[in-house]
Amino acid sequence: MEKKVIATTSLAGCFGCHMSFLDIDERLLDLIELVEFNKSPIDDIKRFTKPVDIGIIEGGCANSENVEVLRYFRENCKILVSLGECAIMGGLPAMRNGISIDECLAEAYLNGPTVQLNKEKILPNDEEIPMLLDRVVPCHEVVKIDYFLPGCAPRADLIWDALVAIVTGKEMDLPYEVIKFD
Amino acid sequence: MADTIKIKIDGKEIITAKGKTILEAATDNGVYIPTLCHFPGVPPKGSCRICTVKVNNRFMTSCSTPVADGMTIDNNHDEIKDYRKSIVELLFISGNHFCPACEKSGNCELQALAYRLGMLVPRFPYSFPNKEVDASSPKIIKEQNRCILCKRCIKTIKDKEGKRYFAFNRRGNHLEVVLDKQMGQAISDKLAQQAMENCPVGSIIYKGKGFSEPIGSRKFDKKPIGSSIEE
Ligand code: SF4
Ligand code: SF4
Ligand code: FES
């Protein structure tokens, strides 16, 4: 069987889902028999070098770069999986959704208790810096997502079983404890 | 006996008594019907609709419908399961349910129902409301963005004279359940804890109590909601 190609990314996430992915521990060796990695922070491949079977998305969309990367994944991956609460519902970054961008930036760069160096009171304004979206949105509100694996972070067993199921076409049979939102 | 009633739930024959609701008859006989707004011991209101079953092919709320002889009840049909799931999904998207950051996570009935009904993601778009969090009481935080308006706190949390601590405020889309400002100042620890317990979700938080149980030992970590009824 030809190896399936996997890509992963972390958008507005904390890399916790990727950490949980690595928590499949020695099963990583089995995984490498089943798949090869393409664009991913795990191997540091920056651009897709071939069509990808499974794209795994951690994090929701909080800025213009997140949206661009997500669309780039959709264009290059046959199957997209939202991994974790942030990808699925915005997660902790979306807690800013009730607060205006002005207020968020002012708190972070002008008024926050840890702000000490910004004497000129500059808000980040370089055009190289991605624009913040007015609110953080889940990935499936930007592109079509095929599968959802909840959890914060999703349990390693869930990630492993889901990947094996997608790669081999076998049905998942998960114990109750494995699918949790926290 | 005239007071004995025979009904069928999912093909299972059940003998029960006149005056019981479908929910009570089912629970007595090891059949789990999900509930949210209903609280045992206080009159049912039938407002959340999660306990909907098909009675002789018509949709009815089991918490508020009394049993009648010969009823045929469907509690397990795909159609019903999907309706229930859609109610849970609507409740999720109409509030801000950031479970990883919620004090009630693991003990929350809404979350537990989402697990039991197999919700991975709501089919509706999130609304991200921006409602008030009232932390003015020394004992309680009232997080309006998690309230599902079930009224359980209004019905069950009262002082010795029967005065209620919680009440409805405003209307329509703006409807909210609020803690009376004055009474909230004087509420006892015991009652505040009771309020947190009686709330199915994390809208009433007893101050200083959050996250006291480790993941793995909370109410719904290991077993689905309803499994104690089915045992
Ligand atoms: S109230 Fe329940 S569903 Fe809502 S965030 Fe808390 S644990 Fe999750
Ligand atoms: S605070 Fe809790 S118990 Fe009271 S109405 Fe809201 S969800 Fe129900
Ligand atoms: S539990 Fe019956 S309508 Fe809410």
Side-chain angles (χ1 to χ4, degrees), chain B residues 86 112 142 172 202:
Chain B
S86 68
K142 182 73 179 73

Side-chain angles (χ1 to χ4, degrees), chain B residues 5-219:
Chain B
I5 280 178
K6 261 197 214 157
I7 61 173
K8 246 190 197 171
I9 303 183
D10 298 331
K12 178 178 169 182
E13 281 232 15
I14 283 175
I15 297 174
T16 178
K18 204 176 155 185
K20 293 227 181 213
T21 62
I22 296 173
L23 176 67
E24 286 164 340
T27 308
D28 292 347
N29 287 279
V31 176
Y32 171 66
I33 302 177
T35 58
L36 270 176
C37 68
H38 179 57
F39 196 79
V42 286
K45 201 60 193 165
S47 59
C48 76
R49 322 307 284 178
I50 199 88
C51 68
T52 297
V53 291
K54 255 187 172 174
V55 181
N56 302 338
N57 244 342
R58 288 179 54 198
F59 290 115
M60 305 265 221
T61 49
S62 61
C63 70
S64 56
T65 307
V67 287
D69 210 21
M71 272 181 169
T72 306
I73 294 155
D74 205 335
N75 176 45
N76 217 2
H77 201 277
D78 283 347
E79 191 188 10
I80 295 170
K81 283 202 243 171
D82 192 55
Y83 277 137
R84 288 177 183 161
K85 190 156 158 248
S86 68
I87 292 172
V88 169
E89 290 171 5
L90 282 167
L91 290 171
F92 262 85
I93 62 101
S94 61
N96 287 334
H97 293 279
F98 299 105
C99 295
C102 179
E103 296 82 349
K104 194 84 171 199
S105 194
N107 294 316
C108 169
E109 291 175 32
L110 178 64
Q111 186 192 57
L113 278 173
Y115 295 157
R116 176 150 182 153
L117 297 168
M119 182 190 100
L120 296 176
V121 61
R123 71 196 80 170
F124 313 103
Y126 292 96
S127 64
F128 294 116
N130 191 17
K131 295 184 188 161
E132 189 206 4
V133 177
D134 176 13
S136 61
S137 156
K139 301 283 163 61
I140 280 178
I141 299 171
K142 182 73 179 73
E143 168 39 309
Q144 300 298 20
N145 297 296
R146 297 178 192 148
C147 183
I148 59 168
L149 305 171
C150 71
K151 277 185 86 173
R152 275 161 55 161
C153 57
I154 303 182
K155 290 194 285 191
T156 60
I157 305 301
K158 302 181 208 169
D159 70 6
K160 289 198 187 72
E161 278 101 61
K163 248 176 92 183
R164 296 170 201 275
Y165 284 84
F166 295 88
F168 271 142
N169 188 30
R170 306 172 79 188
R171 277 161 182 274
N173 224 358
H174 301 288
L175 182 72
E176 55 185 14
V177 171
V178 292
L179 171 63
D180 183 278
K181 289 262 186 234
Q182 261 177 6
M183 293 175 78
Q185 287 303 316
I187 191 166
S188 69
D189 283 288
K190 196 170 159 237
L191 214 49
Q193 264 170 303
Q194 192 65 57
M196 176 168 181
E197 211 147 282
N198 291 7
C199 175
V201 293
S203 183
I204 300 176
I205 301 300
Y206 174 57
K207 279 191 182 173
K209 175 77 196 314
F211 309 109
S212 53
E213 283 164 281
I215 292 182
S217 58
R218 301 166 305 180
K219 232 189 208 162

Side-chain angles (χ1 to χ4, degrees), chain A residues 36-111:
Chain A
E36 71 170 82
F37 277 81
N38 203 267
K39 178 177 163 48
S40 166
I42 290 173
D43 54 19
D44 214 22
I45 298 179
K46 306 282 189 210
R47 313 290 297 177
F48 290 107
T49 57
K50 55 157 81 170
V52 166
D53 295 297
I54 307 162
I56 298 174
I57 314 287
E58 165 190 330
C61 290
N63 63 33
S64 53
E65 196 234 356
N66 298 151
V67 173
E68 198 183 307
V69 172
L70 181 56
R71 291 200 172 126
Y72 185 48
F73 263 74
R74 184 68 280 181
E75 280 161 23
N76 287 278
C77 304
K78 282 188 210 135
I79 293 170
L80 273 195
V81 182
S82 266
L83 181 66
E85 289 300 296
C86 298
I88 289 176
M89 58 84 64
L92 297 203
M95 284 181 141
R96 75 153 158 94
N97 282 0
I99 304 167
S100 73
I101 295 286
D102 283 352
E103 248 182 285
C104 286
L105 289 174
E107 182 66 17
Y109 294 99
L110 306 179
N111 310 327

Side-chain angles (χ1 to χ4, degrees), chain A:
Chain A
M1 191 171 73
E2 212 179 309
K3 282 185 178 180
K4 297 270 189 211
V5 185
I6 286 191
T8 77
T9 188
S10 177
L11 306 177
C14 68
F15 266 94
C17 298
H18 274 79
M19 290 297 132
S20 201
F21 193 166
L22 298 180
D23 274 343
I24 65 175
D25 298 332
E26 71 277 9
R27 285 172 288 183
L28 275 170
L29 301 175
D30 302 330
L31 186 67
I32 289 307
E33 297 298 314
L34 288 174
V35 304
E36 71 170 82
F37 277 81
N38 203 267
K39 178 177 163 48
S40 166
I42 290 173
D43 54 19
D44 214 22
I45 298 179
K46 306 282 189 210
R47 313 290 297 177
F48 290 107
T49 57
K50 55 157 81 170
V52 166
D53 295 297
I54 307 162
I56 298 174
I57 314 287
E58 165 190 330
C61 290
N63 63 33
S64 53
E65 196 234 356
N66 298 151
V67 173
E68 198 183 307
V69 172
L70 181 56
R71 291 200 172 126
Y72 185 48
F73 263 74
R74 184 68 280 181
E75 280 161 23
N76 287 278
C77 304
K78 282 188 210 135
I79 293 170
L80 273 195
V81 182
S82 266
L83 181 66
E85 289 300 296
C86 298
I88 289 176
M89 58 84 64
L92 297 203
M95 284 181 141
R96 75 153 158 94
N97 282 0
I99 304 167
S100 73
I101 295 286
D102 283 352
E103 248 182 285
C104 286
L105 289 174
E107 182 66 17
Y109 294 99
L110 306 179
N111 310 327
T114 55
V115 179
Q116 283 165 359
L117 297 174
N118 192 2
K119 296 254 155 37
E120 294 90 36
K121 299 203 176 302
I122 300 172
L123 292 179
N125 59 1
D126 194 291
E127 60 182 34
E128 292 284 321
I129 299 174
M131 294 285 281
L132 289 179
L133 304 185
D134 61 343
R135 56 179 216 172
V136 179
V137 290
C139 294
H140 63 272
E141 291 187 20
V142 178
V143 299
K144 181 181 186 299
I145 300 286
D146 304 288
Y147 298 107
F148 299 86
L149 299 177
C152 181
R155 309 296 183 266
D157 287 346
L158 174 63
I159 300 174
W160 168 251
D161 280 28
L163 275 180
V164 171
I166 296 174
V167 171
T168 62
K170 273 197 213 117
E171 274 215 26
M172 290 168 74
D173 179 24
L174 291 167
Y176 169 78
E177 299 95 90
V178 171
I179 298 182
K180 288 287 147 62
F181 300 162
D182 63 2

